[in-house]
Amino acid sequence: DMSDSTYTIAMFMQAEIAILQLLRWKIRYITPVTYLNHYLGITRTGMSQYDQRIRNTAIEMLGLALQDHTFVPQPASQVCILAVVCSRIVVLQQINGHKPPFCAWPSEIQAIPKPPDVQLCTVDFFSKLLTAYARLRNVDVNGGLATLFAPASGSATCVATDTAFQ
């Protein structure tokens, strides 16, 4: 209305692209990997041997989520949180037989602000991602969800909730 139909939406879009190119701005898609360093940083165990294994497993988990269409409508940040928590579960299960030195669901993740209208990372999604990882690596992840609530030694606070991120 303001331009008396002199300019079209396509013309505005071309102008925006020209300005961005002139400024050498690079527009990137926001993916779950965008959030990985942030969420790994706030959930660090303080034990480098575990932190590196959690990072590597989280990257594999994100690759698995990328291949499953049911993760597409989920916000990228929540898919990343899901991958980080699932990777913590897998690493905890690899420690088998020892008292867990950290918990799978630390209070730092529970404290992340979440939009009230979005249901985040449900048990179904945890189960789906853990099952896909088990198939990929030919490992047993039965009881992985129970690991979410395993008490950890040290000062880490674990949050026990059946519908995490709800």
Side-chain angles (χ1 to χ4, degrees), residues 94-129:
Q94 292 169 349
I95 300 172
N96 197 11
H98 304 319
K99 178 146 180 73
F102 59 90
C103 65
W105 191 265
S107 58
E108 294 85 358
I109 290 179
Q110 188 65 24
I112 295 170
K114 298 167 284 299
D117 59 333
V118 178
Q119 182 180 3
L120 312 169
C121 301
T122 63
V123 172
D124 293 338
F125 283 107
F126 279 111
S127 178
K128 183 177 285 220
L129 198 52

Side-chain angles (χ1 to χ4, degrees), residues 36-54:
L36 188 61
N37 286 333
H38 174 69
Y39 290 137
L40 288 172
I42 64 172
T43 61
R44 208 168 307 145
T45 66
M47 297 168 273
S48 60
Q49 72 273 23
Y50 297 129
D51 288 335
Q52 189 58 46
R53 285 165 62 184
I54 290 168

Side-chain angles (χ1 to χ4, degrees), residues 6-164:
T6 306
Y7 301 105
T8 65
I9 292 175
M11 292 170 81
F12 278 109
M13 291 174 63
Q14 287 175 335
E16 287 177 352
I17 289 172
I19 291 168
L20 290 174
Q21 288 173 343
L22 180 68
L23 296 174
R24 294 192 178 126
W25 282 21
K26 293 181 181 172
I27 299 175
R28 295 187 175 106
Y29 292 106
I30 294 178
T31 68
V33 175
T34 307
Y35 298 93
L36 188 61
N37 286 333
H38 174 69
Y39 290 137
L40 288 172
I42 64 172
T43 61
R44 208 168 307 145
T45 66
M47 297 168 273
S48 60
Q49 72 273 23
Y50 297 129
D51 288 335
Q52 189 58 46
R53 285 165 62 184
I54 290 168
R55 170 180 281 290
N56 294 342
T57 306
I59 291 169
E60 281 186 289
M61 295 278 183
L62 290 174
L64 291 169
L66 181 66
Q67 298 172 38
D68 187 333
H69 70 90
T70 60
F71 288 95
V72 172
Q74 299 302 315
S77 60
Q78 277 85 57
V79 173
C80 185
I81 291 172
L82 172 68
V84 168
V85 172
C86 284
S87 66
R88 292 171 70 92
I89 290 170
V90 168
V91 171
L92 279 170
Q93 287 189 329
Q94 292 169 349
I95 300 172
N96 197 11
H98 304 319
K99 178 146 180 73
F102 59 90
C103 65
W105 191 265
S107 58
E108 294 85 358
I109 290 179
Q110 188 65 24
I112 295 170
K114 298 167 284 299
D117 59 333
V118 178
Q119 182 180 3
L120 312 169
C121 301
T122 63
V123 172
D124 293 338
F125 283 107
F126 279 111
S127 178
K128 183 177 285 220
L129 198 52
L130 285 171
T131 301
Y133 183 83
R135 279 195 306 264
L136 175 71
R137 290 288 177 199
N138 196 26
V139 294
D140 179 20
V141 292
N142 286 335
L145 291 173
T147 308
L148 277 172
F149 314 116
S153 60
S155 62
T157 305
C158 294
V159 177
T161 174
D162 326 310
T163 54

